[in-house]
Amino acid sequence: MGKNNRLGGRIRYNILTTIVYIIGIILLIQLFNLQIIHGAEYRETSNSRLTRESIIKAARGSIKDRTGVELVSTDTGYSVEIYSTKVSDSELNNSIKKFIEILESNKDEFVDNLPIEVDPYKFKQEDVESQKNWKIQYEMDENYTAEQAFNALKEKYEITESDVKMARKIMAVRYEISRNGYSTTKSVTIAKDISNTSAVQIREQNSMLSGMYVVTEPVVSYKSGSLASHVLGYVGAINAEEYEARKDRYRNDDVIGKSGIQYVFEDYLKGTDGIRQVDMTVDGAVTSEYTAEEAIAGSDVILTIDANLQKVAEDALEKNIKDIAKGKYGEKTDSEAGAVVVMNVDSGEVLAMASYPDYNPGKYSEEYSEDSTGKYLNRAISSAYAPGSTFKMVVASAALTTGEISPTSLVNDNGIYPYGDRQACWYYRSYGRGHGYLNVTQALKYSCNYFFYDMGYRIGIDKIAEYAKKYGLGQKTGIELEGEATGSVASKEYAESLGQGWYISDTLSAAIGQSYNNFTPIQMARYVSMIANDGKSIDTTIVKSIIKPDGTEISKDEINEYVKNKLGLGDTNLEDVKISKEDSQAIKKGMRGVTSEAGGTAAAYFSDLDIDIAGKTGSAQTGIDGEAHGWFVGFAPYDDPEIAVVVFVEKAGSGGYTSDVAKKIIKEYFGMNSEKVTEDKSAESSTQSVR
């Protein structure tokens, strides 16, 4: 038995040994074949072909209006990248010169960050310390002039071009390559957003353009120029801080949302890049390419705004501001800015949001991001102003709901209120007499200051502040945009926080929308919407939905949670204002009188409007003699409200002057415009590279 086992073991050993020898012989034959027979051929192939990995940039998601109209989309753009190849400096410089000539013949540009100008020679940086640090970084004498530094780089890059301007252009590309550190596997972008003509010519002449490769990439396109610029926002190059926090998903040459929806919803709009394999010869000619990993586009953000209504709002606001400044309605003013918000009174959806001056988000400029004057601020959400007489519905709500007055209670306006430094009604200052006996509805219609002084005196500042907060004033609405201001509600506590006391005159001032009352137009729109729907609270929103690339929809709960975390928001929900139908109607009837009845402060502006609306004007003092901001707030239709409209113009002089903007918006919304808004074929569609 043992003898048989030993015999079987030897047989198995011999078989395994034979197999090993056979495999070894096969490997030796194959090695001989690779190295001796075909060695020269394979070495030539290996030396003449290199495989590089290139990024396929993913398209950003689109931003659309509520009807599906694309406001921001992604078009196809072209950039040029360059890899290191086995060519001399002289050959590389000649390739770059040829590349520059192609671009310039088609009015395209290359990347130029070289900090030296020629003709005359000078440094772009004015700061001497920055110049010194740059020269040290590039191993130059720190005392070099701009010309000496230029010649040092010219020698370093072995540029022999005699034309100094062309030499500088070649140097700019070499400098870009040098500062970004390209290699045989790492490319550097040397041109962005070039024309299709340049792209075709570069591809056709690829054999003469060492290491250069045309990349097809997505380009952010703003379809209607400056339309909704403050809402949409712009994208810009990712900075060091942003890159450090997001390097797991971003490259250091990516763009990122900087403001508006582009900023807030960056995590959804950004797609996932793919990978492309590119085969090149050692001298830089592309031989083949294929996709190793597909790029995945970002999600689409659907807004609540209506593009058509948005355009009407923007155009009407701009015209109104310019008309007021020119003195169309009265004396000329320094008016040059304003805002509009149009809101669905039931859902809180923002149908239009305009701020003037606006800008073109497709033409990104440091002017927008570094604006210290506030010129391009989104005044609809980021600036708070005294509401003037538009605040009187708050005081009316407080007085009625607390039982201080009923809808039929009368107050006799004799012109000068006897308390609080004997403040006069505006009517007395204009006509030398008071309004006489008025109920709350009439007081709103005529905007009687005396009546609301009396309400403020009787109910007190604490109750006024309480109701202002019930309507969401002096509180963030939670709109899905960065930079929303809180504003402030006039109160004893607020005065104390500023180290100030509180007096009866402060209460009277607060009761007509002055004192420390400062609210944003978006807060005012929510407040007017709640007045329109009898105190029902609403959640303000400008985002309807987010659609993933696979067609599925992000839940509203997820969006809300994301926005709260992104913007650091607390609870922005309001409770219903408990006001009786009778009291609410008394207030709304007063607002209807403003626009529809003789003596109403805005009746003259709405006399030709074929719809019954409710409104309130406000002229808020700015603290400068003879200067007042203008407000119009209202809702339509009166009997079955659908939209609230808020118009604000800085230094308008009178709230009534802003009424024309609201009228145009209402006419557009209800289809009463005689001239239909059509696509502006002359509008410039602006683009931004995603690289």
Side-chain angles (χ1 to χ4, degrees):
M1 186 74 176
K3 185 177 180 180
N4 289 337
N5 285 339
R6 286 195 297 274
L7 179 61
R10 282 197 298 273
I11 292 172
R12 286 193 294 273
Y13 174 79
N14 290 336
I15 291 172
L16 288 173
T17 302
T18 302
I19 291 172
V20 170
Y21 276 118
I22 291 171
I23 292 172
I25 291 169
I26 291 171
L27 290 174
L28 286 171
I29 292 171
Q30 184 64 18
L31 188 61
F32 181 82
N33 179 58
L34 290 172
Q35 291 188 340
I36 306 302
I37 298 177
H38 296 290
E41 177 187 345
Y42 289 147
R43 276 193 297 275
E44 183 180 352
T45 301
S46 176
N47 289 334
S48 63
R49 186 177 65 192
L50 294 170
T51 299
R52 279 99 172 187
E53 193 174 89
S54 176
I55 298 296
I56 303 174
K57 300 301 294 184
R60 286 177 72 83
S62 297
I63 304 177
K64 303 177 181 180
D65 87 335
R66 65 187 300 111
T67 67
V69 172
E70 284 192 333
L71 303 173
V72 184
S73 65
T74 301
D75 291 342
T76 299
Y78 304 97
S79 291
V80 180
E81 296 179 351
I82 186 170
Y83 291 90
S84 177
T85 58
K86 294 181 179 180
V87 296
S88 66
D89 278 335
S90 175
E91 291 172 307
L92 177 57
N93 292 337
N94 287 335
S95 289
I96 291 173
K97 180 179 179 180
K98 180 67 178 174
F99 158 74
I100 291 169
E101 289 171 344
I102 290 173
L103 293 189
E104 291 186 337
S105 68
N106 299 309
K107 298 182 179 179
D108 288 325
E109 298 178 352
F110 54 90
V111 176
D112 184 354
N113 291 303
L114 183 67
I116 303 173
E117 297 284 9
V118 298
D119 195 24
Y121 290 100
K122 64 177 181 179
F123 288 106
K124 289 182 179 178
Q125 313 112 308
E126 294 182 1
D127 178 45
V128 175
E129 191 64 28
S130 296
Q131 294 175 18
K132 177 182 173 181
N133 292 337
W134 179 80
K135 283 180 277 192
I136 292 173
Q137 181 184 354
Y138 283 88
E139 300 177 346
M140 299 177 193
D141 188 313
E142 61 185 66
N143 296 313
Y144 270 3
T145 64
E147 183 175 6
Q148 288 172 321
F150 178 84
N151 288 329
L153 284 181
K154 188 176 180 183
E155 182 179 348
K156 176 181 179 179
Y157 297 142
E158 297 185 20
I159 299 171
T160 58
E161 175 65 43
S162 58
D163 180 346
V164 69
K165 291 184 178 179
M166 177 55 76
R168 189 206 169 277
K169 293 173 184 176
I170 295 170
M171 187 183 295
V173 176
R174 290 295 303 270
Y175 175 72
E176 190 67 19
I177 292 170
S178 173
R179 70 194 285 262
N180 284 287
Y182 80 149
S183 67
T184 57
T185 56
K186 179 190 174 185
S187 65
V188 171
T189 300
I190 56 175
K192 300 178 180 180
D193 301 339
I194 65 172
S195 64
N196 181 61
T197 304
S198 288
V200 169
Q201 291 176 3
I202 291 170
R203 283 169 174 158
E204 288 175 345
Q205 301 178 49
N206 180 258
S207 61
M208 294 183 288
L209 303 171
S210 178
M212 295 182 198
Y213 174 63
V214 175
V215 178
T216 302
E217 62 181 18
V219 176
V220 177
S221 176
Y222 290 81
K223 296 302 183 183
S224 302
S226 62
L227 186 73
S229 57
H230 291 91
V231 174
L232 302 176
Y234 58 88
V235 298
I238 192 169
N239 61 38
E241 184 180 348
E242 291 165 336
Y243 174 66
E244 191 60 32
R246 297 166 176 251
K247 59 172 59 175
D248 59 324
R249 192 178 174 195
Y250 289 75
R251 286 163 48 105
N252 60 5
D253 61 348
D254 272 335
V255 298
I256 193 169
K258 297 288 186 177
S259 70
I261 294 294
Q262 294 278 27
Y263 165 77
V264 176
F265 291 94
E266 171 66 24
D267 291 346
Y268 290 102
L269 290 165
K270 165 113 176 119
T272 303
D273 295 340
I275 298 174
R276 179 190 291 107
Q277 298 290 346
V278 181
D279 289 342
M280 285 184 177
T281 61
V282 291
D283 58 1
V286 177
T287 57
S288 65
E289 62 176 281
Y290 61 91
T291 299
E293 201 172 298
E294 294 284 355
I296 302 172
S299 300
D300 292 342
V301 177
I302 316 302
L303 303 180
T304 60
I305 68 171
D306 179 277
N308 223 34
L309 195 65
Q310 178 74 24
K311 178 165 174 51
V312 170
E314 290 185 10
D315 290 349
L317 177 63
E318 180 180 1
K319 184 178 186 306
N320 186 246
I321 290 170
K322 291 177 178 178
D323 284 346
I324 289 172
K326 289 186 293 187
K328 177 181 177 180
Y329 303 98
E331 292 185 9
K332 293 181 179 180
T333 75
D334 294 330
S335 174
E336 55 185 17
V340 168
V341 178
V342 185
M343 183 177 288
N344 181 296
V345 300
D346 292 316
S347 67
E349 291 181 346
V350 175
L351 305 178
M353 177 186 287
S355 181
Y356 185 83
D358 56 13
Y359 63 93
N360 191 327
K363 295 182 177 179
Y364 170 74
S365 168
E366 292 299 325
E367 181 184 3
Y368 306 149
S369 60
E370 297 180 0
D371 171 36
S372 60
T373 65
K375 178 179 180 180
Y376 297 110
L377 199 66
N378 184 355
R379 287 167 173 79
I381 67 167
S382 299
S383 293
Y385 308 89
S389 292
T390 60
F391 185 71
K392 289 173 178 175
M393 288 86 77
V394 170
V395 180
S397 294
L400 288 164
T401 307
T402 58
E404 184 61 40
I405 60 169
S406 72
T408 57
S409 298
L410 298 175
V411 171
N412 181 22
D413 168 18
N414 58 25
I416 299 178
Y417 196 68
Y419 305 105
D421 299 331
R422 296 176 61 81
Q423 299 189 56
C425 181
W426 70 267
Y427 193 78
Y428 179 86
R429 291 194 298 270
S430 299
Y431 301 104
R433 63 182 186 277
H435 284 104
Y437 284 96
L438 300 172
N439 60 30
V440 67
T441 298
Q442 294 165 326
L444 285 168
K445 171 184 171 181
Y446 297 119
S447 198
C448 177
N449 285 354
Y450 187 105
F451 183 97
F452 289 98
Y453 289 148
D454 195 45
M455 294 304 102
Y457 182 81
R458 289 158 67 172
I459 63 178
I461 189 59
D462 292 343
K463 191 58 68 175
I464 294 173
E466 176 189 336
Y467 272 78
K469 292 173 183 176
K470 284 179 182 289
Y471 282 110
L473 297 173
Q475 303 166 63
K476 291 184 178 182
T477 65
I479 190 79
E480 300 97 334
L481 294 169
E482 90 286 7
E484 184 179 8
T486 303
S488 59
V489 172
S491 65
K492 295 173 185 175
E493 292 75 20
Y494 188 79
E496 288 171 3
S497 72
L498 300 176
Q500 302 295 319
W502 189 267
Y503 307 95
I504 186 60
S505 58
D506 295 316
T507 299
L508 303 189
S509 181
I512 61 166
Q514 297 286 164
S515 183
Y516 299 115
N517 285 318
N518 289 288
F519 314 131
T520 62
I522 189 71
Q523 290 174 11
M524 296 292 284
R526 177 168 67 171
Y527 151 57
V528 174
S529 294
M530 292 178 67
I531 292 289
N533 60 34
D534 302 321
K536 177 178 171 247
S537 66
I538 55 173
D539 297 324
T540 306
T541 181
I542 202 167
V543 174
K544 202 166 187 67
S545 62
I546 298 177
I547 310 298
K548 294 180 181 179
D550 62 7
T552 58
E553 188 172 338
I554 303 290
S555 72
K556 194 64 177 177
D557 287 342
E558 179 182 329
I559 295 172
N560 291 340
E561 190 64 28
Y562 169 84
V563 171
K564 281 186 177 182
N565 291 332
K566 180 81 173 185
L567 301 180
L569 296 173
D571 184 14
T572 57
N573 295 327
L574 299 175
E575 295 183 358
D576 293 350
V577 177
K578 295 179 173 58
I579 184 169
S580 71
K581 192 73 172 177
E582 181 186 12
D583 290 344
S584 178
Q585 281 300 110
I587 293 170
K588 292 195 287 187
K589 281 175 65 178
M591 294 176 69
R592 181 177 61 179
V594 168
T595 62
S596 307
E597 298 175 6
T601 56
Y605 299 100
F606 292 95
S607 59
D608 62 342
L609 191 63
D610 296 329
I611 186 173
D612 206 8
I613 72 169
K616 186 75 189 77
T617 58
S619 303
Q621 302 305 310
T622 65
I624 299 174
D625 253 359
E627 186 176 278
H629 297 323
W631 290 91
F632 175 86
V633 305
F635 60 85
Y638 170 76
D639 290 323
D640 187 16
E642 293 182 30
I643 62 168
V645 180
V646 170
V647 183
F648 171 80
V649 175
E650 290 183 7
K651 305 174 188 175
S654 169
Y657 299 164
T658 68
S659 301
D660 192 53
V661 180
K663 182 168 71 173
K664 288 178 178 176
I665 291 169
I666 291 168
K667 289 178 72 173
E668 172 59 28
Y669 180 84
F670 292 102
M672 294 182 286
N673 271 347
S674 57
E675 296 180 7
K676 292 295 181 184
V677 177
T678 57
E679 182 182 359
D680 183 0
K681 300 296 184 181
S682 65
E684 183 179 356
S685 176
S686 301
T687 60
Q688 283 185 282
S689 173
V690 175
R691 290 300 295 272

